[in-house]
Amino acid sequence: MNPLRSSRRRLVMAIVVCFAVVAVFTVRLVDIQVVRADELNKDSLSKRAIAVTSYAPRGDIVDANGVILATSVNRYWIIVAPRNVDSFSRVDKNKVKTTITVMDAANEIASVTKQDPAEVFQALTKDPNSNYSVVSKGLDTAALREVRALKIPWVGFETHSKRTYPNGSVAGNLVGFVGTDGPQAGLEAADDKCLRSTDGSLTYEQGADGVQIPGSSITTKAAKPGGTLKTTIDSDLQWFSAQAVAEQAMAIGAKSATVSVTRIKDGHLMALVDWPAVDPNDVNGTPVANLGALSFSTPYEPGSTFKAMTAAMLIDSGTATPLTQATVPARWTTPEGGFIRDATGHPTEQLTLTGVLQQSSNVGISMIGSRLAPSIRYDYMRKFGLGEKTAINLGGEQSAGILSKKWDDQTKYNVMYGQGVSATAVQMAGIYQTLGNGGVRLPLTLVEGCQQADGTTTDLPSTTGVRVVSEQAAKTVVNMLESVVMGGELSKNLKIPGYRVAAKSGTAEVAVNGRYTGDRVVSVAGIAPAEDPQYSVIVTFTKPDIMKSSAAAAPTFHKIMSEVLTKYRVPPSTTPSTSPATTW
C-alpha cells in the first residue's frame, strides 16, 4: 500500500471525526442555550436561588413620655435543608477529631431549645429531599448564640418578630395584645393600621453544599416597619393608680374596680385603670372577663355622682340656683304616686340645692329636678355624651351605655340621681371633664397620633369641643361640690391640704334582669383645684363585700388625687373656698 495514500485516508477520517464531534457539541449547545434555555435557566435558578421573607417589626406603643408599653423583639428560628443534613467531623481545642452523627446533633440542639431530641431529629430527617425544615421557633439571642457555638455546618437561622410588653399589666387593659391570629384586643387591634408592618423579600444564591454564597443577596421588596402609636397615658401614674385601687379592692372584697385621671384642659386620659387587668405577656393566665377594657365595655348605674350633672342642667336652664330651697323628708311620694327615699333615714331638712349635693339627697334632687321637663333633661344628657360611644377608637370593645329617650313615671326621677341609666367609666370621665372645663366637653383622648417611620405624624385626634352648659353654670356646680369636701360626711377622707377640692360620692344599686340586688357600685368623682380645675379623678368599686358605701372609695380617691397634684406640680390654692349655703 502506498504510505502517502494511507496517511491521507487517516487524515480525512480524523477530520470527519472532528467535524462530527463538533457537530454533536454544536447541536447540544444550541439545544441547551437556545431551544431549552428558558426551561433550564428556570430549573437551575430554582435549585440555586433561595427566596426569603425579610420581616419588618410591628410598631411600638408608647406612653406620653415615650416609655414603651408594647414593642417587638427579634426571635430566631432554627432552619435546615434536610437534604444537606449528615454526619460531620468536629475538631476540639486539642485537635481531636470527633464524628458527630445526626442524632448527636439533634441531642445538642435539644439541650439548648429544651425540646424532645426525637422531635428535633424528626425535623432534621422527615423529608430528606427538602430544602427547608423548621427545627425550633422563638429562640432568644442567648439561645441563638449557644446553637451557633455548636458549629453544626448545615444549621441556619431566620429572624422573626415577637410582641412583648415590658410593663406587663400596666395599661394592659388599653394596649391589648397580639395572638397567633394577629391583634386581638385594645389599641393593638383598634390601631392595627398604624402598627402593622409590611414584610419584604430577598433572594440569595446557595452553593452545592446548601451554604449561602457571600454577596449574593438581592432585596426584591423592601420591608416597612410599623408606626409608633403615642398614647396620652402616663405609665408611672397608671402603675400608681393600679396599685392603689387593687389594694383597696382586695381589702373590701370588690369584684372589679376602675380609675380614670383626666387632664381637664385638653381631655387627655393620663391614667385609665381596670382591676383586674390583663397581662398581655400572659393572656392565658387571665380570665376571659378581664381580657378587655372594662372602662369602655362595661356600663354601670353610677348613682349619686350623676347629681352634679343634674345640678348643672338646672342652673344652666335657669330652673334653679345654688340657693334654691327645698323641704326634704327622708321619703317623698311623687305626684304620680311613686316614692323616692334617701339612703339613710333623717328628719325633714331645709336644704338648698347646694345642701342637696352635700347631703347626697335623692329626695332633694328629685324634688328640685322635676321642675325641668324630662325631654330637656334627656337632651342635656346627650350633650354630656351619654347614650353614645366616645370619640376614642377602641374597636368593638366600647359600649354606649343605656339612655332611654322615654322614661316611665318612676325612671324620670331615678335618672336624676344615677339610677335607671348606665354609663361607662370613660363616659363619666367625660362628664367631669366638661364640668371642670367651663361647660365645654372635649373629645376624650387616649392616642395622640401615629408617628410614621419618616417622622410624620398621622391620625391626629379631634380637639373640637362642644358647649354643654354655660361657663357660669359649670363653675357654679364645681363651687357647690366643694361643700361635699368641706362639710360632707366624707370630708375628712376627701380633703387634701393646700388645695381646694370639689367632689361627689356615689352609691348605686346593681340591677340584674331588671331587679335591684343587694350589690352596690361605690364611687367618688372629683376635680382639683376647684378654683382652676386641672385634673379630674374618678374611682369606682363594683360589688364590694365590705363597706358597701362610697366611704370605701374615698381613701383611694384621696391617694390618687394627691399623687396627681404632686406629680404634675399643680400650684396650691391661694384663695379660700366660698361654697354657697347648704341650708335655709
Side-chain angles (χ1 to χ4, degrees), residues 57-78:
R58 184 173 175 80
D60 291 344
I61 301 176
V62 301
D63 81 346
N65 303 307
V67 175
I68 293 176
L69 301 174
T71 190
S72 297
V73 295
N74 285 337
R75 290 294 181 261
Y76 305 93
W77 292 11
I78 300 175

Side-chain angles (χ1 to χ4, degrees), residues 7 71 79 94 114 127 141 150 178 196 237 251 332 335 352 438 488 494 505 512 533 551 574:
S7 296
T71 190
I79 59 170
N94 297 319
K114 311 304 180 187
D127 188 358
T141 304
L150 298 174
V178 175
R196 186 172 59 241
L237 181 62
W332 176 59
T352 64
L494 297 177
S505 60
V512 178
T574 57

Side-chain angles (χ1 to χ4, degrees), residues 101-133:
T101 67
V102 175
M103 192 66 228
D104 292 335
N107 284 322
E108 291 178 346
I109 294 172
S111 68
V112 177
T113 61
K114 311 304 180 187
Q115 293 172 271
D116 183 343
E119 178 187 352
V120 176
F121 184 79
Q122 183 183 24
L124 297 176
T125 61
K126 65 180 178 181
D127 188 358
N129 296 318
S130 171
N131 280 318
Y132 184 83
S133 177

Side-chain angles (χ1 to χ4, degrees), residues 351-398:
L351 300 178
T352 64
L353 180 56
T354 302
V356 166
L357 290 183
Q358 185 192 66
Q359 300 303 316
S360 199
S361 173
N362 298 338
V363 173
I365 201 71
S366 298
M367 294 174 71
I368 299 175
S370 61
R371 302 176 188 178
L372 187 62
S375 61
I376 297 176
R377 285 189 271 125
Y378 172 84
D379 290 341
Y380 270 113
M381 290 182 183
R382 288 304 303 261
K383 290 168 68 177
F384 269 102
L386 299 175
E388 63 183 36
K389 296 180 180 180
T390 72
I392 295 171
N393 176 27
L394 213 67
E397 294 187 36
Q398 191 169 176

Side-chain angles (χ1 to χ4, degrees), residues 32-60:
I32 292 173
Q33 295 187 353
V34 179
V35 179
R36 300 175 58 199
D38 291 341
E39 176 188 349
L40 293 174
N41 282 335
K42 183 178 180 180
D43 186 54
S44 65
L45 284 173
S46 67
K47 295 180 179 179
R48 188 182 74 224
I50 305 299
V52 179
T53 300
S54 54
Y55 295 94
R58 184 173 175 80
D60 291 344

Side-chain angles (χ1 to χ4, degrees), residues 74-76 112 138-149 157:
N74 285 337
R75 290 294 181 261
Y76 305 93
V112 177
L139 276 68
D140 59 20
T141 304
L144 171 71
R145 290 170 179 165
E146 288 187 59
V147 175
R148 278 181 170 164
F157 303 93

